Each structure stands twice: as structure tokens, then as C-alpha cells.
């Protein structure tokens, strides 16, 4: 047998080995995470529900989803164990700011506009800036001032419109 005919089979077997190996690692990490769940930690289930662990048993976990709401889940249903800061941010909306002395960014753009009286007065004193464009009224006045010969020259330069019959074929 030729080595080139065996090469695709070797590559295929190697790829399958690497894929199963990475999948086993992910499964092992998920199992370790579920086994290390402690009462009081915040979790997210695979269904997307956020709750606090109340009690951990061999194969089940009792979760506190709200006041008076206790739910019994299988350990396999725990999707992620969250840190306290992350759980409080998602569930309670409490932001834990590590940079307490940093500037606070406003939610709207109204505070970004100038409210200083002198800036408003300076803006009102500005005169119109000529950008080299003419108004439509000025254009009409300029055309009326032109000599009739110039108007005829312009008309001669423009291509004449036809009804669609042309000599070119």
C-alpha cells in the first residue's frame, strides 16, 4: 500500500482524537464546576434562570429563585456558577464599581451640551459664514442681469432633447 493512500485516514483519525479529547475536557470542567457548588452561591441554569443555591445533595440542587420560591433541579441543569459581583449585577442591578473616584458618564446627551451663558452668548453673536454657495433667489437675480446673448449661448451649448428618434445606429 502506498503512504499517500493512508494519509487521509491518518489525518481523519487524528482529527477525531483531538475533537473527542477537547469535548472530554469541557465535560470534565463542567462536572467539576457542578460538584464545587456551595450553598449561597449564585447560579444560572441551562434554561437561563438565575437563582441562589440553598442546598446541595448528591444529584440534586435546591435553588432559591425568590421569596418563598424553592426549586429542585438536577445538578446537570446548572449551566454556570457566578461570582457574587456578577450575580448581583444581573439579578439585583447592583453595580460594584472598582473605580469609585472615576468620572460618572451620563445616560443621556443633554449634559454634554454647553450650558454656560457666555458660550451661548458667543454663539448668538456669530455672523453667517459664506461657504461659497448661492441661494436660489440670488441665482435667478444673476440670470436676469445677464445679457440675452449670453442666455442664447448657454441654450446653444446644451444638448437638444429629441423624441427618441436618432440617426445613429
Amino acid at each position: 500500500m502506498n503512504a499517500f493512500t493512508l494519509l487521509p485516514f491518518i489525518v481523519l483519525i487524528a482529527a477525531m482524537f483531538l475533537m473527542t479529547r477537547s469535548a472530554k475536557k469541557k465535560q470534565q470542567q463542567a462536572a467539576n464546576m457542578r460538584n464545587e457548588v456551595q450553598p449561597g452561591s449564585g447560579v444560572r441554569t441551562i434554561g437561563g434562570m438565575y437563582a441562589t443555591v440553598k442546598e446541595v445533595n448528591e444529584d440534586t440542587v435546591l435553588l432559591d429563585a425568590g421569596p418563598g420560591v424553592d426549586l429542585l433541579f438536577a445538578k446537570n441543569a446548572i449551566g454556570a456558577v457566578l461570582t457574587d459581583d456578577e450575580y448581583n449585577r444581573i439579578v439585583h442591578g447592583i453595580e460594584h464599581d472598582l473605580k469609585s473616584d472615576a468620572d460618572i458618564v451620563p445616560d443621556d446627551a443633554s449634559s454634554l451640551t454647553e450650558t454656560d451663558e457666555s458660550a451661548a452668548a458667543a454663539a448668538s453673536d456669530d455672523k453667517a459664514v459664506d461657504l461659497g454657495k448661492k441661494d436660489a433667489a440670488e441665482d435667478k437675480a444673476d440670470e436676469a442681469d445677464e445679457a440675452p446673448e449670453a442666455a442664447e449661448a448657454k441654450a446653444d451649448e446644451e444638448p437638444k432633447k429629441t423624441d427618441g428618434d436618432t440617426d445613429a445606429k
Side-chain angles (χ1 to χ4, degrees), residues 61-81:
V61 177
L62 185 66
L63 300 178
D64 181 19
V69 180
D70 293 338
L71 304 168
L72 186 64
F73 275 85
K75 271 191 178 178
N76 291 339
I78 303 299
V81 178

Side-chain angles (χ1 to χ4, degrees), residues 2 13 30 33 50 59 83 102 104 114 117 120 126 128 136 139 142:
N2 191 357
I13 291 171
M33 180 261 314
Y50 293 93
D59 293 330
T83 63
I104 297 174
E114 292 182 320
E117 295 297 327
D126 290 342
D139 288 342
D142 289 343

Side-chain angles (χ1 to χ4, degrees), residues 111-157:
S111 64
L112 300 176
T113 59
E114 292 182 320
T115 57
D116 188 26
E117 295 297 327
S118 62
S124 65
D125 291 339
D126 290 342
K127 296 181 181 176
V129 178
D130 183 24
L131 298 176
K133 295 183 179 180
K134 295 183 181 180
D135 293 332
E138 289 178 6
D139 288 342
K140 289 181 182 179
D142 289 343
E143 289 176 8
D145 293 341
E146 289 181 358
E149 297 88 25
E152 289 176 2
K154 279 186 181 179
D156 290 339
E157 291 175 8

